[in-house]
Amino acid sequence: MSIVDNLRKIKEELPQEVKLVAVSKTHPASLVMEAFTAGHNIFGENKVQEIVAKQEELLQDLEWHFIGHLQRNKVKLLIPFVHLIHSIDSPRLLREVDKQARKAGRTVDCLLQVHIAKEETKFGFSKEELISLVESEEFKSLSSVKIRGLMGMATFTENDTQIRAEFRKLKNLFDWLRKEKFADGEFDQLSMGMSNDWKIAVEEGSTIVRIGSAIFGER
Ligand SMILES: *Cc1c(COP(=O)(O)O)cnc(C)c1O
């Protein structure tokens, strides 16, 4: 199927209130344009060099989301244009985003990435680390980042029961934080679900899905 057909099919099934980030990593800007021409304008990338290059090449009114592991020395390249950073995975990274955003005179929306998968390799905070971060004095002093919610990746497995349990755990943590720690009402985004598990994620309360191969094909 074509990109246009893939997008249409996913959007038919996706509840209207759930945001679709089309993950264009490794694919050329021409395919991003193909999706844009079909009416989609929200894209995600996991490498700084690639997101910057595409953003410069396309110069369209696209909404760029950063979803990959972010090195602190590259933060400032994203700050001018990034719409949402999904992948804040350490206090030091958050501090750097705050610093660079302040210098640039903007506020940057961020999600805190939580480690929910069994795999060792996936980045993110544990529940304990997350709570200690949001309770710290330093966290309260950040002025130029806005924490909009959480992001997580389930284990890469065929076992739907396990995937569902991991997403449910993340949703419970999200609900608890929203109620106990972020009462301002702007902690409202839960980014979970990829090509192989987005339907489960949506059933478990996702508000943003990040879908790559089911739109653009295999990488
Ligand atoms: C690549 C990637 C996706 C999309 O993965 P697909 O399986 O191609 O849909 C989503 N989230 C993150 C963090 C990614 O790196």
Side-chain angles (χ1 to χ4, degrees):
M1 283 212 296
S2 67
I3 290 172
V4 177
D5 290 334
N6 293 340
L7 273 169
R8 177 160 23 82
K9 190 157 176 294
I10 292 167
K11 285 182 180 185
E12 269 168 20
E13 289 183 62
L14 197 65
Q16 248 188 358
E17 65 277 11
V18 179
K19 184 174 235 186
L20 171 61
V21 175
V23 177
S24 48
K25 64 188 187 194
T26 77
H27 298 291
S30 58
L31 295 194
V32 175
M33 274 313 290
E34 208 173 310
F36 180 70
T37 307
H40 192 78
N41 73 333
I42 306 167
F43 296 93
E45 292 282 342
N46 69 339
K47 297 227 156 59
V48 171
Q49 214 179 348
E50 199 173 341
I51 195 172
V52 168
K54 283 177 188 163
Q55 190 265 340
E56 284 175 353
E57 181 174 345
L58 294 168
L59 291 176
Q60 295 276 358
D61 196 13
L62 303 185
E63 185 179 306
W64 288 105
H65 289 231
F66 193 79
I67 63 173
H69 178 61
L70 178 56
Q71 287 169 297
R72 279 176 292 133
N73 61 358
K74 297 194 176 151
V75 166
K76 61 174 169 303
L77 299 170
L78 289 182
I79 297 297
F81 67 90
V82 74
H83 182 82
L84 178 65
I85 300 175
H86 291 229
S87 43
I88 299 293
D89 58 8
S90 75
R92 293 172 81 195
L93 175 61
L94 184 61
R95 216 177 297 145
E96 180 65 15
V97 174
D98 184 64
K99 179 178 153 191
Q100 296 299 338
R102 189 171 337 106
K103 272 194 192 169
R106 65 168 296 206
T107 300
V108 172
D109 281 357
C110 294
L111 304 178
L112 301 172
Q113 182 172 352
V114 185
H115 181 99
I116 54 170
K118 286 262 156 42
E119 292 126 357
E120 275 300 318
T121 53
K122 295 201 173 142
F123 292 101
F125 291 95
S126 68
K127 181 178 172 177
E128 293 70 30
E129 289 166 341
L130 197 65
I131 292 170
S132 108
L133 170 69
V134 305
E135 288 180 343
S136 67
E137 282 309 313
E138 192 191 3
F139 183 80
K140 288 165 197 155
S141 74
L142 299 173
S143 61
S144 303
V145 286
K146 180 96 212 152
I147 303 299
R148 297 297 309 272
L150 303 180
M151 183 272 244
M153 289 161 90
T155 304
F156 187 73
T157 171
E158 307 267 280
N159 183 345
D160 286 359
T161 310
Q162 182 181 346
I163 292 171
R164 188 178 296 281
E166 290 173 358
F167 285 149
R168 191 165 293 181
K169 216 166 97 181
L170 185 60
K171 173 65 157 68
N172 286 338
L173 178 59
F174 171 74
D175 286 343
W176 181 81
L177 284 169
R178 176 149 68 166
K179 181 157 167 279
E180 300 295 332
K181 304 289 176 192
F182 294 91
D184 66 4
E186 290 187 284
F187 185 88
D188 56 1
Q189 300 298 320
L190 183 55
S191 170
M192 58 185 198
M194 305 172 33
S195 290
N196 64 327
D197 58 18
W198 67 267
K199 289 180 192 179
I200 302 173
V202 167
E203 284 168 6
E204 296 301 327
S206 171
T207 69
I208 308 179
V209 292
R210 310 174 311 271
I211 302 182
S213 46
I215 295 171
F216 294 104
E218 291 304 319
R219 289 182 292 273

